[in-house]
Amino acid sequence: MATMAYRAAVVAALLTEHAEALAGVCAVAVRVTRDPACDQGIRLQMSWSLPWESSVGQVARAARALGLTHLLFDPVGDYVRVSAEGPVSTSAGTSLVEVWDYLTGEEVDRAAAALGLALVPGTDPVHVVVADVLRLTASEPAVA
């Protein structure tokens, strides 16, 4: 139970310390396992939105705020899961944190074309640098 209390404190600190970047969070999952190798940490689901630039942009902004440098685009069936994961330190402690959202329908094709990715179900996930995504989604100005 101490681990759950610790994780809850980290979640509260995350949502407080990164309130602006995490404004789109619609669900928080805190999972604690007995096997540290299987620990899933804290998962923050962003609220799904259209167009793809909005959905992917909010994941990228949250990832940047948390110090995560890459997004993973994982084609699964008829949707693509977009996520960033890594250890994040807060005033309450450090935990593995994942921020994620998904794309469906035509938005998958639009994102793939804009990002120059092959997002085909059954293929390996694709890693993309957060800064590149932020520039393409107009979430960050281009560097001169």
Side-chain angles (χ1 to χ4, degrees):
M1 193 53 120
T3 303
M4 184 59 82
Y6 171 80
R7 197 66 54 81
V10 172
V11 168
L14 270 173
L15 295 175
T16 301
E17 294 168 14
H18 302 286
E20 186 175 327
L22 298 177
V25 170
C26 70
V28 176
V30 178
R31 296 192 172 108
V32 178
T33 63
R34 292 185 178 169
D35 180 3
C38 298
D39 189 8
Q40 296 180 356
I42 298 165
R43 292 180 160 187
L44 304 173
Q45 180 182 356
M46 304 305 284
S47 44
W48 183 79
S49 61
L50 291 175
W52 75 269
E53 293 94 333
S54 177
S55 183
V56 174
Q58 71 179 347
V59 175
R61 286 188 302 279
R64 180 185 58 194
L66 298 176
L68 307 174
T69 59
H70 288 80
L71 293 185
L72 183 69
F73 287 76
D74 189 6
V76 182
D78 62 346
Y79 68 94
V80 172
R81 191 170 191 282
V82 181
S83 64
E85 177 181 281
V88 176
S89 295
T90 70
S91 59
T94 301
S95 183
L96 178 65
V97 175
E98 177 188 45
V99 57
W100 70 277
D101 199 358
Y102 60 91
L103 300 174
T104 61
E106 293 178 0
E107 295 307 307
V108 171
D109 296 331
R110 289 184 181 124
L115 296 168
L117 305 175
L119 299 176
V120 180
T123 61
D124 289 336
V126 180
H127 294 267
V128 180
V129 176
V130 167
D132 293 343
V133 172
L134 290 171
R135 278 191 291 279
L136 287 171
T137 61
S139 296
E140 186 172 275
V143 178

